[in-house]
Amino acid sequence: MSLDRELNKRSGGKCELCGATENLKVYQVLPTKKGGIDEAIQACGTCVEQIENPGNEDLNHWRCLNDSMWSEHTPVQVVAWRMLSRMRAAGWPQELLDMMYLEDDVLEWAKATGEGEDDENKIIHRDSNGVILEHGDSVVLIKDLKVKGSSMVAKQGTAVRNIRLDHENAEYIEGKVDGQQIVIITQYVKKI
């Protein structure tokens, strides 16, 4: 069964966040390890648009989290926690966060994107031009790089897709080059 059909069955043909029945999409909850139904939700276009564009949240739309935060499905809980954390300055989202309980591993997944951290504590990854890098972005190498521990040289102009961010160091990202997972210093990449 396709992921789309599995999610549609699980959600009853509704957005798992707000309950809308139109313009439904599969939304992968990053970072993913295996993919599949345990790392995705079915969400409407309105929810996806606001999830992917911080600062454009319609607070009244997200009052739906009062119900969906109690979902039995982990990826729904993660997205609910992230959105409530993002909007917590409005007051009522903080009250919902205070009521919400997540297992330690689920909370770690929810925090993996940096959502919920104070801006001064948040690690921000930037490419050589100062553009903010996000988990899952694609970058291109702007310089030939020798890969430590191997004889491989990652050539200038090589595209690295679906990068992962190092959550302890803003200078490091990870990605695959020629099938090998390597750590890359952000000053040598440019976002595509």
Side-chain angles (χ1 to χ4, degrees), residues 31-52:
T32 58
K33 293 181 182 167
K34 296 177 269 180
I37 195 164
D38 293 332
E39 296 179 347
I41 64 170
Q42 181 158 277
C44 69
T46 303
C47 286
V48 171
E49 176 70 24
Q50 293 184 37
I51 291 168
E52 292 180 342

Side-chain angles (χ1 to χ4, degrees), residues 100-115:
M100 196 171 185
Y101 172 79
L102 298 177
E103 295 290 338
D104 290 341
D105 58 329
V106 176
L107 185 58
E108 184 178 323
W109 181 19
K111 289 181 176 181
T113 59
E115 207 71 65

Side-chain angles (χ1 to χ4, degrees), residues 7-170:
L7 284 170
N8 198 41
K9 183 178 177 185
R10 178 176 87 185
S11 69
K14 296 178 182 174
C15 173
E16 293 184 274
L17 298 169
C18 73
T21 56
E22 300 291 318
N23 194 17
L24 299 177
K25 308 173 182 202
V26 173
Y27 179 75
Q28 290 289 333
V29 182
L30 298 175
T32 58
K33 293 181 182 167
K34 296 177 269 180
I37 195 164
D38 293 332
E39 296 179 347
I41 64 170
Q42 181 158 277
C44 69
T46 303
C47 286
V48 171
E49 176 70 24
Q50 293 184 37
I51 291 168
E52 292 180 342
N53 295 296
N56 294 330
E57 299 85 12
D58 173 2
L59 290 174
N60 284 327
H61 174 81
W62 291 105
R63 291 197 179 266
C64 61
L65 295 177
N66 191 35
D67 296 324
S68 55
M69 69 185 235
W70 303 111
S71 172
E72 64 186 273
H73 305 292
T74 305
V76 178
Q77 296 170 6
V78 167
V79 174
W81 186 92
R82 288 177 182 172
M83 292 308 295
L84 289 170
S85 294
R86 186 184 297 174
M87 300 179 299
R88 69 178 179 255
W92 64 265
Q94 183 62 54
E95 292 172 16
L96 294 180
L97 273 173
D98 292 343
M99 287 189 279
M100 196 171 185
Y101 172 79
L102 298 177
E103 295 290 338
D104 290 341
D105 58 329
V106 176
L107 185 58
E108 184 178 323
W109 181 19
K111 289 181 176 181
T113 59
E115 207 71 65
E117 292 181 20
D118 294 331
D119 285 341
E120 65 268 7
N121 297 334
K122 198 179 218 179
I123 294 178
I124 299 174
H125 296 74
R126 296 183 186 273
D127 73 359
S128 59
N129 295 327
V131 176
I132 294 175
L133 298 172
E134 302 281 339
H135 182 89
D137 281 346
S138 295
V139 297
V140 65
L141 301 179
I142 61 168
K143 175 182 174 180
D144 287 355
L145 301 175
K146 290 182 181 178
V147 179
K148 288 186 180 179
S150 79
S151 60
M152 183 177 129
V153 175
K155 297 286 187 190
Q156 177 180 349
T158 301
V160 182
R161 304 203 186 301
N162 197 20
I163 63 169
R164 295 183 183 270
L165 306 178
D166 182 322
H167 293 289
E168 295 175 7
N169 190 330

